[in-house]
Amino acid sequence: MSTTTLRKIPFFDYPALFAADEAELVEIFKDVGRRGAFIMQRDLEEFEQSAAEYVGAKYALGVGNATDGLLLCMRAAGIGPGDEVIFASHTMVATAAPIHFLGATPVAVECGADHLIDPASVAAAVTPRTKAIVPTQLNGRTADMEALQAIADEYDLLIIEDAAQAFGARYKGRAAGTFGHSSAISFYPAKTLGCLGDGGLVLTSDDETYRLMKLFRDHGRDESGDVVTWCLNSRLDNLQAAFLNFKLKTYDQAIERRRQIARLYQQELGDLTELTLPVGPDEDPDRFDIFQNYEIEAERRDGLKAHLAEQGIGTLIQWGGKAVHQFPELGVSATLPYTDALFQKMLMLPLNLALSDDDVRHISQQVRGFYGK
Ligand SMILES: *Cc1c(COP(=O)(O)O)cnc(C)c1O
């Protein structure tokens, strides 16, 4: 290729998500459309069943998005006014918003070296009002669920997982989203299992929690159509469920490809002392990470980001560069020096199925170039 041509690599290629399977997706649209199967039809039921089996949960319910999903989980857990709920500040505001809207208090804590919730920080934040811990299974990796469960057992707390980024990730053989009371998964297009719009899933293995969440996502209506509780509407579109049924068939390969890309980044960048890379896919025998993101720590991060942008390479700083406790308007104040320091260094390199090996090598070369290597 000519050296004068800028090779553009977007952080995430949304049109490619559609183009990769265009013919099949259009057929699915036609099929669902011709059946008039738009709301809570067999495609949704099939998807719920397959998704529950995939992770080894007793129940899965399609919902409008993971944010709603977390609200349903927390409401089913009885979280409300007077309760405190602990979460890691390095997460999307969507982890904390449901806590707020149930009238409870979000309590932000630190993350650790792998960017996931720090159990020691959780233990230190427990008070007599603490009701639950909400670990975010960040970047496609599962938190230290053994340590969190020990804290939950000691203080009689519930665990509700924000597994929005971790559908299929595992910790000691068990899938993210199946550890606690319940959990939520996101199918936002850029997520590892992305649909063509908004979509989400809640998981539980508890019969009563399932019964409640099923009411909560559909106006509080029971099987007979009777309204038995106040609630709103948050259903996964049947059309999105049909797309997801299709995508789930090749999801194992999609994850394997993500892990390959992570492996390649590690080969290409592992020797740079200016960077701290995520734990590699073959490095942690306790975990199967699905690499929703490739979040590095970089010296002179802003310079690196600008340099890559000049080279046509898109990168992203998660959450717009601010942890939840760093948005003053939310009133979730906390003293979190580790998280504050991390947010000066962290940066996500592109990691998605539209990338070729050559793209990954090219990105890596540009990173090396910035540090003069
Ligand atoms: C994407 C995401 C959410 C929100 O998911 P939606 O389906 O967009 O509501 C929540 N938490 C985390 C960690 C996420 O990455």
Side-chain angles (χ1 to χ4, degrees):
M1 112 189 277
S2 147
T3 48
T4 56
T5 313
L6 198 61
R7 177 163 161 191
K8 289 221 173 223
I9 304 179
F11 178 74
F12 188 84
D13 189 342
Y14 287 91
L17 185 72
F18 182 64
D21 299 306
E22 179 166 337
E24 292 88 345
L25 294 169
V26 168
E27 280 313 305
I28 290 166
F29 182 36
K30 285 184 188 167
D31 170 53
V32 168
R34 285 169 184 163
R35 283 190 278 128
F38 301 118
I39 303 289
M40 296 216 287
Q41 298 299 305
R42 72 163 141 84
D43 308 87
L44 177 62
E45 278 175 34
E46 265 171 48
F47 179 65
E48 289 172 344
Q49 207 162 359
S50 313
E53 271 168 33
Y54 190 82
V55 293
K58 191 164 174 190
Y59 302 112
L61 281 168
V63 292
N65 53 72
T67 313
D68 283 358
L70 285 168
L71 185 71
L72 268 54
C73 293
M74 291 181 199
R75 184 172 168 202
I79 288 166
D83 296 332
E84 292 176 359
V85 178
I86 297 172
F87 71 103
S89 197
H90 182 359
T91 190
M92 191 175 180
V93 68
T95 316
I99 304 168
H100 168 82
F101 280 108
L102 288 168
T105 304
V107 176
V109 300
E110 294 276 27
C111 59
D114 67 354
H115 303 187
L116 274 73
I117 195 165
D118 172 36
S121 188
V122 172
V126 174
T127 75
R129 302 169 80 153
T130 307
K131 173 105 178 185
I133 308 167
V134 183
T136 297
Q137 312 295 23
L138 191 72
N139 297 332
R141 181 176 170 84
T142 317
D144 183 343
M145 298 311 294
E146 241 165 48
L148 294 176
Q149 191 60 56
I151 297 165
D153 290 345
E154 183 174 350
Y155 299 103
D156 195 20
L157 310 176
L158 294 170
I159 293 178
I160 294 169
E161 294 167 75
D162 180 344
Q165 298 194 353
F167 184 67
R170 287 177 181 272
Y171 171 81
K172 299 196 171 174
R174 190 163 160 188
T178 66
F179 288 91
H181 168 273
S182 55
S183 69
I185 307 277
S186 174
F187 305 124
Y188 182 87
K191 297 283 166 44
T192 52
L193 184 64
C195 66
L196 303 183
D198 275 312
L201 195 73
V202 289
L203 300 170
T204 187
S205 290
D206 180 67
D207 296 347
E208 176 61 6
T209 301
Y210 171 70
R211 191 187 70 82
L212 288 171
M213 294 200 297
K214 205 169 176 182
L215 296 173
F216 294 164
R217 76 158 174 190
D218 186 36
H219 304 288
R221 291 186 296 205
D222 69 10
E223 309 264 290
S224 70
D226 259 0
V227 177
V228 297
T229 180
W230 284 108
C231 216
L232 300 170
N233 171 11
S234 184
R235 302 174 297 227
L236 176 62
D237 278 354
N238 192 68
L239 177 61
Q240 298 296 351
F243 293 143
L244 288 163
N245 277 326
F246 167 72
K247 295 201 73 173
L248 189 57
K249 292 192 178 83
T250 53
Y251 188 56
D252 282 340
Q253 288 104 287
I255 289 176
E256 199 36 58
R257 176 62 188 151
R258 300 188 86 94
R259 289 167 56 82
Q260 251 173 23
I261 293 173
R263 225 169 261 134
L264 194 52
Y265 271 131
Q266 199 169 26
Q267 276 168 27
E268 299 288 316
L269 298 172
D271 63 315
L272 292 187
T273 53
E274 293 88 347
L275 303 182
T276 304
L277 303 180
V279 180
D282 310 307
E283 280 176 8
D284 183 347
D286 284 345
R287 286 183 176 80
F288 181 79
D289 294 347
I290 64 167
F291 293 91
Q292 164 65 55
N293 302 308
Y294 199 75
E295 188 171 70
I296 66 170
E297 295 170 34
E299 280 179 22
R300 293 185 281 139
R301 187 263 319 264
D302 294 341
L304 174 62
K305 184 171 175 40
H307 170 77
L308 292 174
E310 275 165 30
Q311 306 304 315
I313 297 168
T315 58
L316 204 67
I317 303 171
Q318 211 158 195
W319 327 125
K322 282 187 184 163
V324 175
H325 76 284
Q326 294 174 333
F327 293 104
E329 288 81 0
L330 299 182
V332 183
S333 61
T335 306
L336 305 176
Y338 190 90
T339 303
D340 290 344
L342 175 64
F343 273 62
Q344 301 298 312
K345 296 181 285 188
M346 65 186 211
L347 182 70
M348 300 195 295
L349 301 179
L351 195 163
N352 58 71
L353 301 189
L355 297 175
S356 66
D357 284 3
D358 203 48
D359 290 334
V360 178
R361 286 194 199 96
H362 176 71
I363 295 164
S364 301
Q365 269 160 23
Q366 300 307 317
V367 172
R368 299 187 73 85
F370 175 72
Y371 293 113
K373 302 290 161 78

